[in-house]
Amino acid sequence: MTKTKFTRMAYNSADDMVFGRCKKPIKTGFDLEIGSGSTIPEINYAPRPEASKSPEKLISEYDRITNDILNRMIQLGVPSVVLETEHVQDMTINAKLGSEIAHIQKTILEEFYDEYGIKCGLRHTIADIRERKNHLDLKDGRFSLLMECFDSVASKGADLLSIESIGGKEVFDYSILKNDFRGILYSIGCLGAIDVENLWLEITKIAKKYKSVPAGDTACSQANTAMFLAGGLLDKNLAHTSAAVIRGASASRSLVANEAGAIGPGKDCGYENVILKAVTGMPVSQCGKSSSCAHSDIMGNLMMQCCDMWSNESVEYHGEFGGMSVQCWGEVLAYDCSMLNAAIETGNDKILRDILMVSDRYRDPQGFILSYDNAYEIGKEITNYTDDTYMRTKKAALKCCNLLIEGSRNKLNLSRFECTNLEKLRLELKALTDDSDEFQNECLDEYTKKVRGFIPGNYF
Amino acid sequence: MTKTKFTRMAYNSADDMVFGRCKKPIKTGFDLEIGSGSTIPEINYAPRPEASKSPEKLISEYDRITNDILNRMIQLGVPSVVLETEHVQDMTINAKLGSEIAHIQKTILEEFYDEYGIKCGLRHTIADIRERKNHLDLKDGRFSLLMECFDSVASKGADLLSIESIGGKEVFDYSILKNDFRGILYSIGCLGAIDVENLWLEITKIAKKYKSVPAGDTACSQANTAMFLAGGLLDKNLAHTSAAVIRGASASRSLVANEAGAIGPGKDCGYENVILKAVTGMPVSQCGKSSSCAHSDIMGNLMMQCCDMWSNESVEYHGEFGGMSVQCWGEVLAYDCSMLNAAIETGNDKILRDILMVSDRYRDPQGFILSYDNAYEIGKEITNYTDDTYMRTKKAALKCCNLLIEGSRNKLNLSRFECTNLEKLRLELKALTDDSDEFQNECLDEYTKKVRGFIPGNYF
Amino acid sequence: MLDINPDKILIRYNVKVEDNMTADEAAEELYPTDNQIRLITKAIFEGDEDEVISCLKIAMDDGLDPLYLINEALMEGMEIVSRLYDEGIIYLPDVIISAHAMIDGIEYCKEMSNIPLEYNKGKVISFVVEGDIHDIGKTIVTILLRANGYQVIDLGRDVPVDDVVEAVKKERPLFLSGTALMTTTMHSFRQIKEKLEHEGIDVPFVCGGGAVTQDFVSHFDLGIYGEEAADVPKIAESILKGLNITQLREKFHRH
Amino acid sequence: MLDINPDKILIRYNVKVEDNMTADEAAEELYPTDNQIRLITKAIFEGDEDEVISCLKIAMDDGLDPLYLINEALMEGMEIVSRLYDEGIIYLPDVIISAHAMIDGIEYCKEMSNIPLEYNKGKVISFVVEGDIHDIGKTIVTILLRANGYQVIDLGRDVPVDDVVEAVKKERPLFLSGTALMTTTMHSFRQIKEKLEHEGIDVPFVCGGGAVTQDFVSHFDLGIYGEEAADVPKIAESILKGLNITQLREKFHRH
Ligand code: B12
Ligand code: B12
């Protein structure tokens, strides 16, 4: 059973949401306070291709990365920073490797904290290794392996624990390429939600044991896959209206982690986090403009609107004229945060939030949906159906459609193609039953047949 | 003889200066308007090491870079963009190579303009090739070679012409490592100023011939060398107070280009441009936060305060997860500009300007000096001594000292070392004669003896 | 809350350049004139498999040869689809639906043919490297190749180096298509290439996926880098035409 | 105009960690106890060349050996200077001034010595690559090496590959120190290295400068990458101690 139910919004109005501040700030790491009045850069990195040749090389790579980042932060006068290490498979499967890296990083953080008093913390995002060559293996051996890794990185000092869970991925991958929203909702609202709950009930226990923070999940495997397929304005793999609706719906899935005990800051790549913040009042990490090293989205500024941590998602470790890549991108993040913090300190946070938001509000349907006022509305749909993850996902999706349609009558300039797609989508969603059991039973049948590799036992 | 004299400030008060708008906007390229109500990203790049193996490879490298950048701008919905190509020696010495590249780039810009209507333009910054192994060769053969290259890139469609001139470098390099401010002022205020005038009287003629824009110079070889030596907060090669004073003084040198006919936007790396904008009302390009690919400064946000174009200075062309490096950094610039433009459109430009400025105002003496109000004050010193480049340089430098001393009594928290350095510096400057001829004669003598490679004939 | 006139700060180029023609109209202009063939290509375009089969049936009843129908109707229809996708007029899901209709059509033609009909332009092996589970790009590549008439052996994701090498040895494909999305996994490409070389197998190796860069791929001899899934069928065609690695790189390396 | 309380948004770590000791006090703690030697090291620290010479004179009059004075007083003083620079207590211009005083002192000792005195720890060739005029980094490297007792042959900037190779052949230095600040010029390093190899010369090649990355340098065998000018004397010392390339990289490659 999940623990917390979010039956009402954490904020009385959308306008109360700002960056750098949330209803439920947290303390962790070395003097870190997240969401209590300032934004914090969260720097992410990926080892060079050569570095994965041996465990020693990999360990030393993270050692160097960590030192480089902290050195640059000191050179710039940055008061606080979070480092995120996203595990690659080896580091999770071989928990000793992952935790050795956590240990080394934490030791370096401590040195810098002792010498300079820089506030800092370490997030480890465990790789979801439950995907095998032709099917998912969500509950058995691989599940224990995952938990073993969480346990050992937490024991070695990782302050924030996260995962990008893959529950529902098999059905999603099948459906998204066909624009089949029935399958998409089933993946997000049913399968995904079930798996997230299973995962986070356990992760929360481990976090408690070591006093680390169960930080949260993301619907990366659904909403970000869609966002990437949608791509830039001229890409033609997926209508951006579809991607926008999937994003809105995915909040329902990510929220389950918080219901199961996660307390934020959710993973940077969860663009749906702004909805989660509205619902839970917990701090969030976001990426956008300053993660263009990792990917291109079309709401780069907007994503700053309500962030508590601001992240570059990931950059390969290599040299640039201005230093190592992690230093350059870390510097961008640090200045972004400094700007946000200056706005907070001078009482201009809401104005800056709005400037950031309007600069992308009409750039793309995805940004429109995630504008904090709209995000808030989507959150309300979700809190209306607390106990039925299917219905709340469907309602969130429908709300997205309606917001977009309304928006398109106003300043949101949709292409003809997007309009057609949107209308089709809305009708398809409307036609779906309101009866969760009925929906699930039908889908179970249908997708077991259609999707090779969909094993119901992973969920039920 | 120089043409224009700036005897009074272009703005009645510092507060009238904002980003995206200037008193003397210019039109160029394909529908570009610079400084007339919106900021524009200016994207810079450097070829991969392999690409310089042959002229063909180099040409194709710029072809790819140009296409990549424009594609990304379209994908993001960016309305206007400038590309800057900084020549490497070969491209200038071999003017055919440089102009072939200009031609290819311009052709690509035209294609994109025709297909999408994106407003765009091309800057070529010619390499100052007048530096030989052991001495400078400012006036003779190499000067003509320079002008030949300006002529041919302009004839092939480069819209904006620039150079980072090196006049005075020999004496500066000698003096800076000894913290000898006498030599530093001589380099900037006398030698540099003379060379800049010689250069820009000619460049302006060429620009006129082809209707391209004589955009401006920078005191890179002095002020940026100092800034780089100063480095981050913990670096120990040069006191940041010295670097700040050199920056302020260097405006006097860069301004000579505008007196000789340059009409902006000055080169991105001229951090002194804000002072130039205050004096001339011409548009400026700046770099800072989003040029951390190229270098680290400690005033990353502040430099956005009054920019008309916003630049990444330079990034090596290579792959990142998010695309090619030029696309990723171009994206950062584009979002930054979009934020600035959204502030303009919603009438919040001054608030945002101030947020950006205060976020770095007290981070470092250099940022403090360049805060627009202080920059304006320095500009006033310069306009007070229009006809005497030595005196205006000295007065600007002294003004910097006084501003810093005053600042340090307030919120600018200087280290003990910086305070000592600053006081020494101020006394040294104060002790210098007010008689320009006397100063120049003495220095000519002194530095001819001291500096191997200082050839007076380069200037007189 | 602030609001803004977006036209002042951004341009939705997708809207701006959207053709006045609808996709249907654009396709209409491309259908062949022969009515029978036209109906089949149209059914392919519309992704209507039932319609494809029933049109094929009629055409065969009228004496048209199954192989002829594959080449002149089914493949032709799919070419229209690919072209409109390339031109940005239709979207990937449309392509996928059409591809399924086409594949059904081909199956039907095979069944109905008197002589055994082995229709494909060439065999391709496609996989995601060891340690990597990001497979949606690979799936798209596979679909587009099939849509263009290639037989694709899809090895799946997280495929061990040796399995790839074995498959190549066994199948001797026209080329090998590899996907990797992580810096830490793409070194498998190099291992595969070395093992293939060691076995003396000289098969073009096309590589792509999120983390893979042209520079990385350029460092090994058999490699061709492709940026988009849509490049793969084009590369395939060039390989069929006999272009060598240098020529392929010349043509497809954009950065 | 807005204003702000900066303590809320940034930390001036330089101010925060500034030692309570002044540079003079820190140096005071490091001077040797012997008073004659102490005076010389102090004069070096203060960069007072006249004082250095007059102290040396007195010491020699008292019978101290010039070579002994170089090693125990001048070099010792310079070591204090280098150490305080490394620790961030004094700044580069101070080092430079001290270095000049030390070099004057060495010259004086040489003059006064009965036996011909060739004092240096080793010979180093330093240059900026062809096509590159960014030379201030090289100048710093040169100064710091000299300050640490090395004899530096400074070839200047924009130095053709062949000139470097010739100089190495002629001078057979302890190592070669190259600077490059542009991606387009640093390939000279590779050329120099190849030519040296071709001539069978196996001299450590230390490379640095703005555009040079550790990855680039790691790709050729003789290369050691250094990030800061201050690393060069340390690398020099390690070379003197006989560390090989692998060990040097292990020690100095930070990224
Ligand atoms: C969605 C996503 C996921 C989804 C995958 C869903 C799926 N069905 O594949 C999920 C959530 C599962 C996931 C998980 C992880 N991910 Co992930 N993921 C992404 C993301 C955001 C988008 C990838 C995507 O789907 N793109 C859309 C598809 C269509 O694009 P594509 O595959 O690149 O294919 C296109 C082209 O490349 C081309 N193409 C593809 N193949 C081929 C082949 C040939 C021959 C050619 C020519 C072309 C070609 O065609 C396609 C369309 O044109 C990327 C970001 C990025 N920049 O790529 C990160 C990314 C790849 N992931 C990353 C990471 C780190 C992970 C995790 C390890 C994180 C973690 N610790 O949990 C885990 C993996 C766990 C594990 N077991 O190993 C990193 C990799 C960093 C690195 N080290 O290199 C990235 C870059 C994100 C980042 N942090 O910046 N991820
Ligand atoms: C100042 C500067 C100039 C000055 C040079 C002044 C001088 N006295 O050297 C001037 C104005 C002349 C100049 C000109 C140009 N520059 Co310039 N310049 C710079 C800048 C801003 C700072 C360089 C500097 O002085 N740094 C301070 C010194 C102390 O640092 P350093 O040399 O790196 O040395 C340190 C370490 O590297 C180390 N080190 C140095 N050598 C060695 C050796 C060894 C063995 C070791 C271990 C360590 C080591 O010690 C030092 C201190 O610790 C850089 C930016 C950057 N990111 O580097 C651009 C930069 C190098 N320049 C650049 C360019 C393009 C140019 C021009 C071509 C531009 C143009 N078109 O006009 C011209 C050159 C014209 C020509 N004829 O070729 C680009 C190069 C890009 C590329 N392609 O790779 C850069 C990177 C700027 C950018 N655009 O991003 N430049």
Side-chain angles (χ1 to χ4, degrees), chain B residues 217-352:
Chain B
D217 208 320
T218 149
C220 181
S221 62
Q222 282 105 345
N224 289 17
T225 304
M227 180 172 84
F228 274 74
L229 281 169
L233 291 180
L234 296 187
D235 284 324
K236 299 283 169 177
N237 287 335
L238 183 71
H240 289 212
T241 33
S242 288
V245 173
I246 292 171
R247 177 65 69 190
S250 75
S252 158
R253 175 189 188 278
S254 299
L255 182 66
V256 178
N258 304 91
E259 292 171 324
I263 59 172
K267 271 281 301 172
D268 52 359
C269 66
Y271 282 63
E272 66 276 14
N273 281 348
V274 51
I275 306 175
L276 265 58
K277 182 164 178 170
V279 171
T280 68
M282 293 172 186
V284 295
S285 185
Q286 301 276 203
C287 57
K289 177 186 68 170
S290 306
S291 63
S292 46
C293 49
H295 67 259
S296 178
D297 58 51
I298 22 192
M299 46 209 148
N301 286 324
L302 187 140
M303 294 315 297
M304 264 187 267
Q305 63 185 352
C306 296
C307 72
D308 299 289
M309 305 211 296
W310 181 234
S311 152
N312 68 318
E313 202 197 2
S314 186
V315 67
E316 190 198 282
Y317 185 55
H318 57 229
E320 299 283 359
F321 301 147
M324 295 304 284
S325 56
V326 292
Q327 300 181 307
C328 300
W329 290 95
E331 182 164 335
V332 174
L333 294 175
Y335 278 117
D336 285 340
C337 287
S338 180
M339 170 185 76
L340 299 176
N341 295 342
I344 295 174
E345 288 308 321
T346 58
N348 289 303
D349 40 357
K350 289 196 175 178
I351 296 176
L352 181 54

Side-chain angles (χ1 to χ4, degrees), chain C:
Chain C
M1 201 179 85
L2 282 185
D3 208 352
I4 203 166
N5 173 357
D7 301 343
K8 297 275 185 172
I9 58 163
L10 58 89
I11 301 178
R12 299 232 331 127
Y13 292 108
N14 53 343
V15 178
K16 188 167 177 189
V17 302
E18 199 170 36
D19 211 297
N20 282 325
M21 265 193 292
T22 64
D24 287 341
E25 287 161 5
E28 203 65 55
E29 297 206 336
L30 297 172
Y31 295 138
T33 44
D34 177 296
N35 197 46
Q36 216 148 27
I37 301 293
R38 190 178 164 283
L39 287 175
I40 300 170
T41 52
K42 190 166 178 220
I44 291 284
F45 175 78
E46 286 166 354
D48 186 340
E49 40 215 17
D50 296 340
E51 180 73 8
V52 168
I53 306 284
S54 78
C55 291
L56 281 173
K57 192 169 180 324
I58 298 175
M60 288 185 206
D61 289 348
D62 284 356
L64 290 181
D65 176 61
L67 187 57
Y68 174 83
L69 285 170
I70 292 182
N71 281 319
E72 298 305 315
L74 298 176
M75 293 309 294
E76 196 61 32
M78 209 53 218
E79 236 172 85
I80 295 172
V81 171
S82 296
R83 179 161 159 193
L84 294 180
Y85 173 65
D86 271 353
E87 288 175 2
I89 295 170
I90 62 171
Y91 276 55
L92 185 66
D94 308 317
V95 179
I96 292 175
I97 293 167
S98 294
H100 282 131
M102 183 203 64
I103 289 164
D104 284 359
I106 292 183
E107 279 313 307
Y108 182 73
C109 290
K110 281 193 199 166
E111 269 169 38
M112 304 309 282
S113 170
N114 302 328
I115 48 165
L117 203 78
E118 186 49 64
Y119 184 83
N120 73 64
K121 291 198 204 157
K123 205 189 274 176
V124 182
I125 291 180
S126 152
F127 70 100
V128 177
V129 293
E130 193 163 353
D132 210 324
I133 62 163
H134 297 88
D135 55 359
I136 202 142
K138 183 233 29 175
T139 305
I140 298 175
V141 167
T142 304
I143 291 171
L144 293 180
L145 279 171
R146 288 194 179 134
N148 280 274
Y150 296 86
Q151 179 197 351
V152 185
I153 299 163
D154 183 345
L155 302 181
R157 61 186 171 241
D158 193 3
V159 186
V161 168
D162 288 334
D163 291 11
V164 178
V165 174
E166 277 315 304
V168 172
K169 275 167 68 178
K170 188 169 152 231
E171 303 287 351
R172 297 286 167 164
L174 179 63
F175 67 93
L176 184 59
S177 165
T179 296
L181 269 90
M182 298 171 44
T183 48
T184 43
T185 59
M186 67 191 191
H187 60 96
S188 283
F189 283 150
R190 198 175 287 169
Q191 289 167 18
I192 292 170
K193 176 241 167 185
E194 278 163 11
K195 293 211 169 175
L196 287 175
E197 262 184 357
H198 190 250
E199 304 267 354
I201 299 175
D202 180 18
V203 58
F205 191 178
V206 190
C207 306
V212 184
T213 63
Q214 181 179 303
D215 281 336
F216 181 83
V217 173
S218 302
H219 285 134
F220 51 108
D221 278 354
L222 304 181
I224 303 137
Y225 169 74
E227 179 134 313
E228 290 175 9
D231 290 345
V232 185
K234 291 173 202 151
I235 297 175
E237 201 157 321
S238 297
I239 293 174
L240 273 182
K241 282 197 189 134
L243 268 64
N244 64 25
I245 301 293
T246 319
Q247 293 164 322
L248 289 167
R249 287 186 179 178
E250 190 65 39
K251 191 159 172 192
F252 293 100
H253 281 197
R254 308 185 198 172
H255 303 298

Side-chain angles (χ1 to χ4, degrees), chain A residues 89 93 127-146 166-167 169-170 173 452-455 458-459, chain C residues 128-135 138 154-160 163:
Chain A
Q89 288 220 50
I93 294 180
D128 194 339
I129 49 171
R130 298 171 303 159
E131 184 152 26
R132 317 307 299 267
K133 203 168 151 189
N134 296 310
H135 64 279
L136 302 186
D137 172 17
L138 300 183
K139 279 169 130 178
D140 297 331
R142 284 292 172 116
F143 186 90
S144 341
L145 220 53
L146 262 189
I166 55 172
K169 175 174 181 292
E170 69 297 57
D173 282 359
R452 210 169 46 116
F454 172 40
I455 304 169
N458 272 321
Y459 306 93
Chain C
V128 177
V129 293
E130 193 163 353
D132 210 324
I133 62 163
H134 297 88
D135 55 359
K138 183 233 29 175
D154 183 345
L155 302 181
R157 61 186 171 241
D158 193 3
V159 186
D163 291 11

